[in-house]
């Protein structure tokens, strides 16, 4: 098998965050997802990197653990706009918490994109997956062609285990 060479590309998307007296900038990292059989890039995963105005990198996971769903929805819409505006030729995934999918306005915004070349990668199952509103919104998005992935699954992830049979990952 030939060695696959790729790099994670840093993209400045221009989101400035003010948290207390600290300003930070949110950039995107684009990570290729490789098909191991064909050695071709099949998808891109859009990740976020947070840095202070001074250039110091912040731990993105810690940062997003303290951020509410409104901010996560804002970032995800901005990421979709950016990648669709720049003509990315592969489907790409963006990370969301499952609770963001309870918001009808957010669902409408996702459905308003003409090109459904994005995948919603759920990185936190932070709401009861048996919720009718949640299941109806997911079904609506899936009928429109939007795919869903479960991020970082492991067998002891109990809240994710409860989604099997309810959500078509």
């Amino acid at each position: 098998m030939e060695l696959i060479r790729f790099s994670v590309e840093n993209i400045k998307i221009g989101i400035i965050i003010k948290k207390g007296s600290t300003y930070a900038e949110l950039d995107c990292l684009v990570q290729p997802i490789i098909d191991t059989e064909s050695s071709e890039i099949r998808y891109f995963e859009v990740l976020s990197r947070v840095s202070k105005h001074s250039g110091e990198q912040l731990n993105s996971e810690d940062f997003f653990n303290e951020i509410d769903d409104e901010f996560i929805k804002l970032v995800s819409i901005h990421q979709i706009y950016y990648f669709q505006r720049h003509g990315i030729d592969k489907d790409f995934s963006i990370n969301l918490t499952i609770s963001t999918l309870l918001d009808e306005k957010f669902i409408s915004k996702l459905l308003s994109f003409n090109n459904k070349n994005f995948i919603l990668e759920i990185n936190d199952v932070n709401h009861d997956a048996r919720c009718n509103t949640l299941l109806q919104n997911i079904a609506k998005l899936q009928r429109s062609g939007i795919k869903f992935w479960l991020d970082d699954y492991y067998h002891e992830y109990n809240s994710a285990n409860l989604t099997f049979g309810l959500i078509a990952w």
Side-chain angles (χ1 to χ4, degrees), residues 2 8 55 61 65 79 82 89 92 98-99 106 121 131 135 140 147-148 153-154 168-169:
E2 180 182 329
V8 175
E61 190 171 326
N65 283 338
Q79 289 172 336
Y82 180 89
D89 64 343
F92 57 94
I98 205 162
S99 59
F106 181 60
E121 189 168 357
C131 171
L135 293 174
K140 204 182 307 183
K147 298 177 192 134
F148 280 79
Y153 175 75
Y154 62 99
W169 297 109

Side-chain angles (χ1 to χ4, degrees), residues 29-44:
L29 299 173
V30 181
Q31 176 176 288
I33 299 174
I34 308 294
D35 179 329
T36 56
E37 289 183 18
S38 67
S39 299
E40 293 179 13
I41 296 172
R42 291 285 309 271
Y43 307 98
F44 290 107

Side-chain angles (χ1 to χ4, degrees), residues 15-20 22-26 48-50 58-76 95-100 123-124 126:
I15 297 178
I16 305 294
I17 305 137
K18 183 176 189 277
K19 193 170 181 186
T22 305
Y23 285 89
E25 185 172 352
L26 185 68
S48 298
R49 181 170 64 186
V50 183
L58 302 175
N59 182 305
S60 293
E61 190 171 326
D62 290 344
F63 178 82
F64 279 96
N65 283 338
E66 295 180 22
I67 296 299
D68 66 8
D69 281 352
E70 292 306 310
F71 184 78
I72 292 169
K73 291 183 286 191
L74 173 72
V75 168
S76 65
N95 289 285
L96 295 173
T97 60
I98 205 162
S99 59
T100 59
N123 59 15
D124 188 1
N126 60 350

Side-chain angles (χ1 to χ4, degrees), residues 85-103:
R85 204 172 49 244
H86 288 84
I88 304 299
D89 64 343
K90 304 277 185 211
D91 288 358
F92 57 94
S93 69
I94 57 168
N95 289 285
L96 295 173
T97 60
I98 205 162
S99 59
T100 59
L101 302 175
L102 291 166
D103 180 348

